Amino acid sequence: MSQRKEKAVALRYDSESGEAPKVTAKGEGFTAQNIIKIAQLHDIPIKKDEDLVELLSKLEVDREVPAEMYKAIAEVFSYVYKLTKK
């Protein structure tokens, strides 16, 4: 049985710009571990959601998240807000 490679996707959202969230980094294996490590070093909240990561990993870096995914992304940002209150 093969082991699944860990995947990670980083998002950026600027509420003042009015633009949709963008994928700023993505990767699997070693790259995913580095994305997670950098987030942890900078106290950036991490939400584990394998299904969402799978979908987001299909997007190109620096691309806006499509409207069809807004609801799922809103849940992520709601989670982050509850953790950080910002």
Side-chain angles (χ1 to χ4, degrees), residues 3 8 22-23 61 66 72 77-79:
Q3 186 177 359
K22 288 185 179 182
V23 173
V61 172
F77 286 115
S78 173
Y79 168 83

Side-chain angles (χ1 to χ4, degrees), residues 8 11 14-15 18 25-26 36 47 57 66 71 75 79:
L11 297 174
D14 179 2
S15 61
K26 66 178 185 172
I36 293 166
K47 178 155 181 15
S57 67
K71 183 175 183 215
E75 290 174 13
Y79 168 83

Side-chain angles (χ1 to χ4, degrees), residues 12-51:
R12 178 184 173 96
Y13 177 63
D14 179 2
S15 61
E16 294 181 15
S17 74
E19 295 178 1
K22 288 185 179 182
V23 173
T24 56
K26 66 178 185 172
E28 57 183 64
F30 181 74
T31 303
Q33 292 170 0
N34 278 335
I35 291 168
I36 293 166
K37 186 176 183 178
I38 290 167
Q40 291 170 334
L41 286 171
H42 295 278
D43 293 322
I44 297 171
I46 297 170
K47 178 155 181 15
K48 294 185 180 193
D49 185 327
E50 289 181 21
D51 294 332

